[in-house]
């Protein structure tokens, strides 16, 4: 069930036009209501006051009048498929504006942004309600992360969502606060020891230094397990991504997990990495969308040789290539997200989709960032300009969960092992 | 802007997969009876009339057209499946491909009823071949510089001038061409061209072959000397051909033929590399497959939009720009990756033969049907830059 449908069924069942009724509601309905409240088509009517959340439940006070209620029950919102994404975008626009972030050098923007995301139920979007999350569908969550890419979002939303998803695969409830996942590279592995402790090293773990907990895929004598560990149980070394974000080496030495459960049949470390690839692909595609937007706008504003540079054919052709690369990234990433959202297992077809997305988005990132900077000229290279927030993240995201060279080798091996005459049937099956 | 960049993840519906099985079985049967060799990429060029009729009998031509014209009222996505399976198999589609993709839809939209009833059923039966008369010696990408003149006379028009680079004109029964009926106006240089249906048997039409560097003989020069076109062969608005071109181009530009033209070399490379590639070969193949998959997903997305009655002109231009550059580079990438293939591998001669052909046709791929430069102009317009 999606946020929006949870919220709607809740409203139908409970909300009356009586003013100041107190209701106790689930996390999912709460998140959905937040989304509805922030929905642009419903503003300005303020329908609900949000009470401070308790551990398992949120309460609200409704003081909606008849018109507001009809509005909310009415078709215009009911038909809106993207209510969760729109709610997320609203938070990003208010609290993650790139220009604001550059102005606020001390990082004071982070806490309000994180709090808003977590209050709206977005950080645990992929965690089912019975495990303490808001139970959004995979597709809704992918949409949120594509939007996060458009804002070059620099808090561990994607990582916490991934961790929540991973823990849910093992039936483990998600704790509060920021999380990340390990391993984040196909070259690393975590071992489950016979005594139930974990050992191993994971490099390039995004935001490990900012996380409270880490969701881990570990392999032991009896197969694959999923574990939740507290960050205090492991050593976390300093490290930064290309974009200057925490990207740390995690060392586990006989670390005792808080929870440990066997992974579902067929679930491997690659399942996590491929899911991570699709998430990063969507983020890259989002960053490219904004890059295209601001680059086109700048080319229309910037005058050189007595006309806007957008009027020069050479510049137009570069911008057309930027649009094509953005389109390719978006198509590859949304196709892979759609494939995973509708797949039960990670078979060859899902592998093709997820790997292709990571490869094609990474290639697009290289080409698109080059063109965006070329069109912006020197101004785009300054630290005051927002372009670097997009370019450096689009480039850095290529490195997480296995870079495109690694996955190209894997895809090539798969294609060769299937044989020449099975290549087209595989491609055509998508 | 983002509205111009919609590539929704459209999936082919189940009926398409059923159809795909039928097409594959049909093609396997045709290969078994020796109609064509799937390893010979130029077999696609063969004017195979009998094959065309059998495809027509299967109901795979005019798939989307109304039944009263011989069509089958099935979806555009089903047509997509037939097209891609034929292309990948290197099937000899020369006789019917242009008529089915492009000319038929133009006739459906603009031809008088009598002509529709006469020609469309014959296209569906695989009996007629069409060519497209756009380029002239002084007018290629700049279509609106066309000079071939249509002068009004009793009951019709007299055509004088020359079309060039006209694919299949030597075997075509008909041509859909643009001729000048009026001079351009000051404020609209695109004004004054009219689309005509040309019966190639009309006296006064001479077709001269032009051989290509690839060894293919598909190009022609078509000379018109007082060739008479009756009034009812005018397609659409007189002087207004420019208004009619755009939707046609979306069909022409986004199909699977815009990235599968040299696909066979990739299959043959995988065959010659075998089941255990080294890292270099695996990475190269992996990247090519990722790029191919992405383009196909984009192309299917455009097909879905066309199927829904939209006119995704910019998206189609993006597919053709990326797709033709990819299929043009493909033989060169495959050559790189094949460099270390064991000389004793049995299919190496086939791969080399295919590479030679693909390398020779590669330069034309970014020229035909709208050059890279024209496409980027269209994309730039979509971005609001001109």
């Amino acid at each position: 069930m999606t946020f929006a449908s949870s919220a709607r069924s809740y409203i139908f069942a409970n909300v009356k036009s009586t003013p100041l009724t107190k209701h106790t509601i689930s996390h999912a309905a709460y998140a959905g209501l937040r989304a509805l409240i922030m929905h642009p088509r419903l503003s300005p009517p303020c329908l609900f006051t949000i009470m401070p959340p308790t551990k398992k439940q949120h309460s609200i006070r409704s003081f909606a009048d008849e018109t507001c209620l009809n509005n909310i029950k009415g078709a215009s919102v009911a038909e809106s498929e993207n209510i969760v994404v729109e709610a997320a975008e609203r938070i990003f626009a208010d609290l993650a504006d790139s220009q604001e972030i550059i102005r606020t050098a001390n990082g004071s923007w982070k806490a309000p942004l994180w709090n808003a995301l977590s209050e709206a139920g977005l950080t645990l979007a992929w965690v089912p309600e019975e495990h303490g999350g808001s139970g959004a569908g995979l597709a809704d969550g992918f949409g949120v992360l594509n939007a996060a890419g458009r804002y070059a979002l620099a808090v561990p939303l994607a990582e916490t969502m991934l961790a929540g998803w991973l823990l849910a695969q093992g039936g483990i409830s998600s704790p509060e606060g920021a999380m990340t996942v390990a391993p984040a590279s196909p070259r690393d592995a975590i071992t489950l020891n016979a005594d139930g402790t974990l050992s191993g090293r994971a490099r390039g773990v995004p935001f490990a230094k900012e996380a409270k907990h880490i969701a881990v895929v570990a392999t032991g004598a009896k197969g694959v397990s999923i574990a939740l560990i507290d960050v205090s149980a492991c050593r976390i070394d300093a490290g930064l991504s290309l974009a200057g974000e925490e990207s740390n080496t995690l060392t586990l030495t006989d670390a005792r997990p808080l929870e440990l459960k066997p992974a579902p049949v067929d679930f491997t470390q690659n399942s996590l990495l491929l899911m991570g690839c699709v998430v990063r692909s969507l983020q890259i595609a989002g960053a490219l969308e904004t890059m295209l937007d601001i680059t086109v706008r700048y080319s229309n504003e910037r005058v050189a040789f007595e006309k806007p540079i957008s009027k020069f054919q050479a510049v137009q052709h570069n911008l057309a290539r930027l649009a094509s690369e953005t389109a390719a990234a978006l198509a590859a990433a949304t196709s892979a997200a759609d494939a995973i959202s509708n797949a039960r297992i990670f078979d060859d077809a899902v592998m093709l989709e997820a790997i292709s997305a990571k490869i094609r988005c990474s290639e697009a990132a290289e080409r698109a960032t080059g063109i965006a900077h070329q069109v912006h000229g020197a101004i785009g290279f300054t630290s005051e300009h927002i372009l670097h927030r997009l370019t450096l993240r689009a480039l850095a995201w290529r490195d997480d969960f296995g870079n495109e060279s690694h996955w190209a080798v894997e895809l090539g091996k798969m294609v060769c092992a299937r044989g020449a005459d099975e290549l087209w049937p595989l491609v055509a099956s998508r | 802007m983002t509205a111009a960049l919609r590539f929704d993840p459209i999936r082919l519906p189940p009926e398409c997969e059923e159809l795909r099985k039928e097409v594959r079985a049909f093609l396997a049967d045709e290969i078994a009876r020796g109609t064509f060799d799937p390893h010979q990429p130029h077999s696609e060029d063969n004017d195979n009339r009998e094959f065309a009729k059998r495809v027509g009998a299967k109901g795979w031509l005019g798939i989307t057209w109304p039944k009263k014209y011989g069509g089958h009222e099935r979806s555009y996505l089903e047509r997509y499946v037939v097209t891609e399976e034929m292309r990948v198999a290197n099937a000899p589609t020369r006789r019917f491909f242009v008529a089915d993709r492009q000319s038929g839809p133009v006739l459906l939209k603009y031809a008088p009823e009598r002509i529709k009833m006469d020609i469309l059923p014959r296209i569906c039966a695989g009996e007629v071949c069409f060519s497209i008369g756009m380029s002239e010696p002084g007018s290629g990408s700049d279509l609106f510089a066309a000079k071939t003149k249509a002068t009004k006379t009793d009951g019709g028009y007299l055509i004088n001038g020359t079309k060039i680079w006209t694919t299949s004109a030597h075997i075509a029964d008909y041509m859909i061409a643009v001729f000048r009926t009026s001079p351009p106006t000051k404020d609209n240089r695109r004004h004054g061209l009219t689309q005509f249906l040309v019966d190639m048997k009309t006296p006064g039409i001479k077709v001269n072959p032009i051989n290509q560097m690839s060894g293919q003989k598909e190009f022609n020069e078509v000379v018109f000397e007082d060739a008479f076109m009756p009034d009812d062969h005018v397609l659409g608005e007189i002087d207004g051909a420019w208004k009619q071109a755009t939707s046609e181009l979306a069909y022409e530009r986004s199909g699977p033929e815009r990235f599968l033209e040299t696909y066979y070399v990739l299959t043959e490379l995988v065959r010659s590399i075998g089941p255990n590639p080294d890292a270099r070969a695996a990475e190269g193949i992996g990247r090519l497959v990722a790029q191919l998959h992405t383009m196909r997903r984009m192309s299917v997305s455009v097909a879905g939009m066309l199927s829904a009655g939209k006119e995704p002109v910019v998206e189609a231009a993006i597919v053709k720009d990326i797709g033709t550059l990819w299929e043009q580079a493909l033989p060169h990438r495959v050559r790189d990756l094949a460099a270390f293939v064991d000389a004793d591998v049995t299919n190496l001669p086939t791969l080399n033969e295919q590479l030679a052909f693909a390398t020779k046709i590669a330069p034309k791929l970014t020229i035909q049907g709208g050059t890279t430069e024209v496409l980027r102009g269209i994309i730039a317009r979509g971005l609001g830059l001109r």
Side-chain angles (χ1 to χ4, degrees):
Chain A
M1 198 188 279
T2 64
F3 285 152
S5 59
S6 289
R8 266 197 305 280
S9 55
Y10 166 75
I11 290 162
F12 278 107
N14 296 303
V15 179
K16 310 281 184 292
S17 56
T18 344
L20 293 170
T21 320
K22 192 176 171 189
H23 305 278
T24 306
I25 58 170
S26 74
H27 283 276
Y30 169 79
L33 286 173
R34 288 265 327 183
L36 285 174
I37 291 164
M38 291 188 293
H39 196 273
R41 276 193 291 277
L42 280 180
S43 56
C46 179
L47 289 161
F48 306 97
T49 357
I50 311 286
M51 310 291 284
T54 63
K55 179 90 184 143
K56 282 282 165 201
Q57 304 249 267
H58 291 277
S59 42
I60 59 160
R61 280 182 193 283
S62 73
F63 48 96
D65 64 20
E66 207 66 46
T67 331
C68 289
L69 272 182
N70 290 337
N71 212 349
I72 224 175
K73 289 177 182 174
S76 70
V77 175
E79 282 163 15
S80 169
E81 296 282 324
N82 297 320
I83 196 154
V84 182
V85 178
E86 285 175 31
E89 284 213 89
R90 220 165 208 227
I91 297 176
F92 300 152
D94 287 349
L95 300 170
D97 177 70
S98 278
Q99 206 68 68
E100 264 325 298
I101 287 174
I102 288 170
R103 237 175 264 141
T104 326
N106 61 6
S108 61
W109 52 273
K110 274 194 182 179
L113 171 60
W114 181 260
N115 291 341
L117 291 171
S118 119
E119 264 183 37
L122 292 167
T123 52
L124 297 183
W126 278 335
V127 177
E129 291 186 48
E130 66 269 27
H131 291 298
S134 28
L138 281 176
D140 273 342
F142 283 133
V144 168
L145 293 175
N146 182 220
R150 291 200 283 275
Y151 286 84
L153 197 78
V155 291
L157 174 64
E159 293 71 16
T160 305
M161 281 173 65
L162 266 175
W165 170 82
L166 175 60
L167 293 172
Q169 303 303 306
I172 300 172
S173 292
S174 285
E176 292 197 14
M179 295 190 280
T180 189
V181 292
S185 157
R187 297 177 163 271
D188 296 330
I190 307 289
T191 308
L192 172 61
N193 304 316
D195 64 352
T197 60
L198 304 174
S199 295
R201 185 180 60 166
R203 291 163 293 188
V205 177
F207 289 105
K209 274 223 181 223
E210 294 182 24
K212 288 181 179 164
H213 295 92
I214 296 164
V216 176
V217 176
T219 310
K222 286 183 202 149
V224 181
S225 296
I226 293 168
L228 173 67
I229 61 171
D230 192 288
V231 285
S232 61
C234 51
R235 197 179 86 209
I236 299 175
D237 291 326
L240 295 175
S241 76
L242 195 63
E245 239 108 65
E246 294 294 344
S247 174
N248 313 105
T249 298
L250 203 76
T251 312
L252 296 167
T253 316
D254 302 331
R256 177 75 52 194
L258 298 173
E259 301 245 22
L260 180 73
K261 292 275 172 64
V265 185
D266 295 334
F267 193 95
T268 65
Q269 175 169 321
N270 259 358
S271 314
L272 168 64
L273 294 174
L274 289 170
M275 185 74 176
C277 283
V278 175
V279 165
R280 286 296 187 254
S281 300
L282 286 160
Q283 289 173 289
I284 290 173
L288 264 47
E289 284 177 86
T290 305
M291 222 181 285
L292 172 63
D293 226 24
I294 65 172
T295 306
V296 165
R297 204 180 319 145
Y298 180 74
S299 75
N300 281 325
E301 288 163 2
R302 171 68 181 176
V303 172
F305 306 102
E306 295 167 349
K307 54 183 178 181
I309 58 170
S310 63
K311 298 297 163 201
F312 291 94
Q313 199 175 45
V315 175
Q316 290 182 349
H317 285 195
N318 265 340
L319 290 169
R321 281 182 54 223
L322 173 56
S324 296
E325 289 299 312
T326 305
L330 202 55
T334 52
S335 179
D338 173 72
I340 285 201
S341 301
N342 295 301
R344 273 169 306 181
I345 48 162
F346 286 72
D347 58 6
D348 282 3
V350 172
M351 293 261 293
L352 170 70
E353 292 261 11
I355 294 177
S356 295
K358 189 74 195 298
I359 294 172
R360 193 61 186 85
C361 288
S362 300
E363 290 178 347
E366 176 194 331
R367 294 172 199 157
T369 53
I371 296 168
H373 275 280
Q374 185 69 21
V375 172
H376 274 89
I379 190 74
F381 193 67
T382 62
S383 58
E384 299 100 282
H385 199 281
I386 65 168
L387 183 58
H388 66 83
R389 289 188 59 78
L390 296 156
T391 57
L392 291 180
R393 275 173 192 80
L395 295 175
W397 285 331
R398 296 177 305 172
D399 295 332
D400 298 333
F401 307 109
N403 63 24
E404 65 273 27
S405 298
H406 166 82
W407 288 113
V409 169
E410 292 303 306
L411 181 55
K413 282 186 192 163
M414 181 179 104
V415 164
C416 289
R418 290 171 58 98
D421 294 324
E422 287 306 309
L423 172 56
W424 174 249
L426 176 67
V427 171
S429 75
R430 304 310 304 157
Chain B
M1 166 53 232
T2 38
L5 285 186
R6 276 203 83 91
F7 284 91
D8 290 340
I10 288 165
R11 302 286 171 193
L12 297 173
E15 64 266 24
C16 284
E17 296 319 312
E18 280 308 305
L19 177 59
R20 188 189 300 284
K21 281 185 208 152
E22 284 174 48
V23 177
R24 282 181 184 167
F26 168 79
L27 290 172
D29 186 48
E30 290 289 329
I31 291 165
R33 66 198 276 185
T35 308
F36 65 98
D37 177 356
H39 301 291
Q40 287 297 330
H42 38 79
S43 65
E44 178 203 317
D45 290 336
N46 295 343
D47 178 27
N48 189 325
R49 289 165 184 255
E50 293 314 308
F51 177 76
K53 282 181 193 162
R54 289 196 292 271
V55 173
K58 276 284 180 187
W60 295 336
L61 299 177
I63 288 178
T64 62
W65 307 350
K67 286 187 175 157
K68 69 183 246 203
Y69 302 123
H72 304 278
E73 298 182 8
R74 296 169 80 168
S75 79
Y76 186 72
L77 294 172
E78 287 169 277
R79 183 186 176 274
Y80 189 93
V81 167
V82 174
T83 308
E84 66 178 355
E85 290 297 328
M86 296 258 177
R87 185 64 48 162
V88 165
N90 290 320
T93 58
R94 167 70 62 208
R95 173 136 287 261
F96 57 78
F97 188 71
V98 167
D100 176 63
R101 177 182 72 182
Q102 211 161 340
S103 314
V106 171
L107 295 180
L108 263 177
K109 215 164 171 184
Y110 301 110
E113 189 62 22
R114 188 189 67 76
I115 288 180
K116 286 202 263 196
M117 289 305 286
D118 171 31
I119 298 179
L120 293 174
R122 289 191 284 133
I123 295 180
C124 296
E127 288 169 4
V128 287
C129 178
F130 267 75
S131 63
I132 304 165
M134 295 274 195
S135 295
E136 296 184 11
S139 153
S141 288
D142 185 9
L143 173 64
F144 304 104
K147 287 200 175 89
T148 298
K149 230 173 152 178
T151 314
K152 190 75 187 94
T153 183
D154 243 12
Y157 292 81
L158 288 177
I159 313 297
N160 282 285
T162 303
K163 292 288 173 186
I164 200 165
W165 323 132
T166 318
T167 304
S168 303
H170 59 301
I171 57 166
D173 303 286
Y174 298 97
M175 173 193 283
I176 289 181
V178 291
F179 301 129
R180 187 156 289 290
T181 37
S182 301
T185 58
K186 266 202 177 126
D187 44 328
N188 187 2
R189 64 182 293 270
R190 300 186 293 178
H191 174 86
L193 293 171
T194 304
Q195 234 175 347
F196 281 82
L197 169 69
V198 177
D199 185 334
M200 294 300 282
K201 290 189 293 293
T202 309
I205 298 177
K206 198 177 166 210
V207 178
N208 303 314
I210 302 171
N211 293 344
Q212 291 162 292
M213 64 180 264
S214 57
Q216 293 166 295
K217 299 176 192 316
E218 52 178 14
F219 265 13
N220 300 278
E221 174 194 62
V222 184
V223 182
F224 296 84
E225 279 177 10
D226 282 338
F228 176 76
M229 302 294 138
D231 278 328
D232 68 355
H233 280 44
V234 169
L235 300 173
E237 197 179 317
I238 290 171
D239 294 337
W242 60 276
K243 295 177 201 163
Q244 293 162 210
T246 51
S247 57
E248 191 186 330
L249 292 176
Y251 285 94
E252 188 191 338
R253 285 179 173 155
S254 62
E257 68 275 17
R258 295 310 186 185
F259 53 90
L260 291 175
E261 200 74 31
T262 56
Y263 169 75
Y264 45 83
V265 295
L266 181 55
T267 312
E268 218 51 42
L269 173 72
V270 173
R271 204 187 311 285
S272 64
I273 297 274
N276 299 304
D278 62 15
R280 177 180 175 275
E283 192 201 348
I285 290 170
R287 280 188 190 257
L288 291 170
V289 171
Q291 293 156 355
L292 169 66
H293 162 76
T294 303
M295 283 180 306
R296 182 172 175 285
R297 297 293 301 130
M298 296 172 87
S299 171
V300 168
S301 184
V302 174
M305 289 188 257
L306 287 169
S307 191
K310 296 178 192 161
E311 287 192 6
V313 175
V314 176
E315 288 86 346
I318 287 176
V319 171
K320 183 172 188 288
D321 187 14
I322 295 185
T324 52
L325 280 168
W326 186 82
E327 63 184 8
Q328 181 171 70
L330 182 61
H332 302 282
R333 296 292 77 74
V334 167
R335 175 178 170 273
D336 290 343
L337 295 169
F340 297 103
V341 168
D342 187 341
D344 296 330
V345 165
T346 50
N347 78 320
L348 201 55
T350 309
L351 177 61
N352 285 334
E353 215 177 295
Q354 290 185 355
L355 271 179
F357 183 71
T359 306
K360 280 190 266 185
I361 66 151
K364 74 169 181 174
L365 299 173
T366 50
I367 300 168
Q368 61 189 15
T371 65
T372 305
E373 290 76 6
V374 165
L375 297 171
R376 290 191 179 159
I378 291 168
I379 300 165
R381 184 171 292 118
L383 293 172
L385 301 175
R386 43 164 87 172

